[in-house]
Amino acid sequence: MSARGSSEQATHQRPSAWYAAPAVLFFGLFAVVPMLLVVYLSFTDWDGFGFPQPSGAGNWSRLAQDGEARDALVLTLVFMVLSWLVQTPIALMIGVWAAGKQLNRAVLSSLFFLPLLLSTAAIALLWRSVLDVNFGVTQSLPFLDRFNFLGNTEIVVYTVVFVITWQYVPFHTLLYQAAARGIPASLYEAATIDGAGRYKQFFQITLPLLRYTIITSTVLMLVGSFTTFDTVLILTGGGPGTATRIAPLYMYITGFSGFEFGYASALSVLLLALGAGLSLVVTRASGFRTMQSQQEGV
């Protein structure tokens, strides 16, 4: 076959670019356009009524000097680190365990994944009732009655991290379960023949082959830390005081309670930039962009 014929055949087999038009249109209308609108609003003074009035870089100058915004960003980073340190090992271990073919693992996994069926608002309301200092579970358990999980500034951060972990670990577990099931059984069989135990197989086979899944889960956690606020809003309202007022919640309060949508837009643009920047740093530092196969020759 001539080179021209091969080229024509490849062109004929290649899908038309128009197939991507609906996805591109959807992404443009519901992602790109709103982001551009928020960027525009960050340079305006708008209370949600009438037309936005241009304010130049006033919102950004205020943001650079806003101590509350700085504290909220620091608290967001604390939440992010704590959530990653707690969720990653739990989701990894449960995901690898749930990847087994035994019937009992399938049944327990289906029960464990139930939080995925609940809305964020329902989960937050549930735990707010359970941890209520007056009529929650702490009143029926003697060793917990002295703890005010939602009203003590020293432990409320860990309480919120616990609730977020309970909510999102099942999702990340699904990622690890699917990835672990994709590891060839021949690798474990060969390792068993060589005398490797379960722990050695986990650290030398399972964990290295789940590297890209760990990176994906980490990126989702990073981005989620800059977008999730509804759990904190319902659970603590940012309190007690400002102990749990993370940056997304501060942005929400500024816009929808303070009616300062221009300044809230500047905060949202900053969160978007930080989330995108952290994601790029993680993918570059981990070599995720190359996505080279770790199972060559298997």
Side-chain angles (χ1 to χ4, degrees):
M1 182 180 295
S2 63
R4 179 179 179 181
S6 301
S7 177
E8 291 178 354
Q9 184 179 4
T11 302
H12 179 71
Q13 294 177 350
R14 185 181 304 129
S16 172
W18 287 106
Y19 284 99
V24 172
L25 180 62
F26 184 86
F27 181 78
L29 288 177
F30 295 98
V32 177
V33 172
M35 284 191 292
L36 293 177
L37 180 60
V38 170
V39 172
Y40 164 72
L41 290 176
S42 67
F43 294 95
T44 65
D45 184 12
W46 187 41
D47 60 0
F49 303 95
F51 294 95
Q53 300 298 320
S55 62
N59 291 323
W60 293 98
S61 299
R62 175 185 170 184
L63 182 58
Q65 302 173 0
D66 190 350
E68 292 185 4
R70 191 179 308 112
D71 294 339
L73 286 173
V74 172
L75 185 59
T76 302
L77 294 176
V78 172
F79 268 100
M80 180 195 306
V81 173
L82 288 177
S83 297
W84 185 87
L85 290 176
V86 175
Q87 291 185 52
T88 299
I90 295 176
L92 177 60
M93 290 186 292
I94 298 178
V96 172
W97 175 84
K101 304 298 183 181
Q102 294 86 347
L103 179 60
N104 65 325
R105 299 193 184 193
V107 173
L108 292 175
S109 296
S110 63
L111 295 176
F112 178 75
F113 295 144
L114 284 178
L116 289 177
L117 304 178
L118 302 177
S119 68
T120 300
I123 291 174
L125 288 172
L126 170 66
W127 281 105
R128 190 178 71 178
S129 299
V130 170
L131 299 175
D132 188 273
V133 68
N134 296 315
F135 57 87
V137 70
T138 57
Q139 297 302 308
S140 57
L141 298 177
F143 59 92
L144 292 178
D145 58 358
R146 62 180 180 274
F147 294 103
N148 186 356
F149 290 99
L150 299 178
N152 189 329
T153 57
E154 296 181 357
I155 62 176
V156 66
V157 171
Y158 305 104
T159 303
V160 174
V161 170
F162 167 79
V163 174
I164 292 176
T165 299
W166 188 87
Q167 178 181 0
Y168 288 108
V169 157
F171 170 76
H172 295 280
T173 298
L174 280 177
L175 298 180
Y176 291 117
Q177 182 187 31
R181 285 184 174 176
I183 300 176
S186 58
L187 296 178
Y188 295 105
E189 294 171 358
T192 302
I193 294 174
D194 291 338
R198 290 186 177 182
Y199 292 102
K200 195 171 184 179
Q201 291 179 18
F202 175 79
F203 287 104
Q204 295 189 0
I205 298 177
T206 306
L207 196 58
L209 291 180
L210 293 180
R211 174 187 175 191
Y212 293 133
T213 306
I214 295 174
I215 297 170
T216 301
S217 175
T218 298
V219 171
L220 291 175
M221 288 184 192
L222 295 180
V223 175
S225 298
F226 286 107
T227 58
T228 300
F229 74 96
D230 42 0
T231 301
V232 182
L233 174 65
I234 298 174
L235 197 61
T236 66
T242 59
T244 57
R245 187 179 292 181
I246 56 178
L249 179 59
Y250 181 59
M251 174 195 68
Y252 174 83
I253 293 174
T254 301
F256 291 93
S257 295
F259 297 99
E260 298 179 276
F261 289 98
Y263 186 55
S265 297
L267 285 168
S268 65
V269 173
L270 177 61
L271 293 177
L272 174 63
L274 289 175
L278 282 174
S279 300
L280 290 175
V281 169
V282 171
T283 53
R284 281 184 172 273
S286 60
F288 183 77
R289 295 180 61 186
T290 60
M291 284 297 290
Q292 297 177 355
S293 174
Q294 297 178 329
Q295 300 182 17
E296 294 184 9
V298 176

